């Protein structure tokens, strides 16, 4: 965002944190919940930075932001050094989504990334 940290500044801060004992780093951003995320189309909008970070620190890197499909999540785990994934809006829509993924009854979140949950009471999905 305008006036925020650059990518290189963020990487340096994360390196310093890792060198000084932080347990893990979750890659996210302020005010960046992107609308219109679709499975297999435009998932994981912090992936590039998180993958670069994971190559440069010796602590687990956690990726959040626009994850919608098991296939994309598995590919990230298989092809990068990112160790953990985090979900937010998909769990507002489907609190039992991890169980559905585990059972194989679903491979894609029903979250349509409309961001209406942010304007609702207690951040509830308007489709539930």
């Amino acid at each position: 965002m305008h006036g925020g940290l650059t990518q290189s500044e963020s990487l340096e801060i994360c390196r310093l944190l890792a060198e000084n004992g932080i347990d893990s780093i979750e890659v996210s951003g302020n005010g960046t919940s992107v609308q219109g995320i679709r499975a297999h189309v435009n998932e994981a909008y912090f992936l590039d930075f998180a993958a670069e970070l994971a190559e440069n620190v010796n602590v687990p890197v956690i990726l959040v932001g626009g994850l919608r499909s098991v296939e994309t999540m598995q590919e990230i785990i298989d092809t990068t050094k990112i160790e953990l994934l985090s979900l937010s809006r998909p769990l507002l829509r489907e609190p039992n989504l991890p169980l559905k993924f585990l059972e194989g009854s679903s491979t894609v979140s029903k979250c349509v990334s409309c961001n209406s949950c942010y304007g609702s009471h207690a951040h509830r999905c308007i489709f539930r």
Side-chain angles (χ1 to χ4, degrees), residues 37-49:
I37 299 300
R38 296 296 177 260
H40 314 294
V41 177
N42 58 346
E43 294 182 74
Y45 42 86
F46 294 123
L47 176 58
D48 292 341
F49 179 80

Side-chain angles (χ1 to χ4, degrees), residues 39-106:
H40 314 294
V41 177
N42 58 346
E43 294 182 74
Y45 42 86
F46 294 123
L47 176 58
D48 292 341
F49 179 80
E52 182 177 353
L53 175 63
E55 291 284 339
N56 289 285
V57 295
N58 60 355
V59 298
V61 171
I62 307 163
L63 174 63
V64 69
L67 297 166
R68 296 294 181 269
S69 70
V70 168
E71 295 85 3
T72 295
M73 290 183 243
Q74 189 65 58
E75 181 180 346
I76 291 166
I77 294 298
D78 290 346
T79 62
T80 72
K81 290 187 177 182
I82 295 168
E83 293 185 45
L84 301 162
L85 304 172
S86 180
L87 298 173
S88 182
R89 292 176 293 169
L91 296 179
L92 294 176
R93 176 83 187 256
E94 299 172 90
N96 60 345
L97 185 60
L99 182 59
K100 288 180 176 181
F101 285 168
L102 186 61
E103 293 173 339
S105 62
S106 177

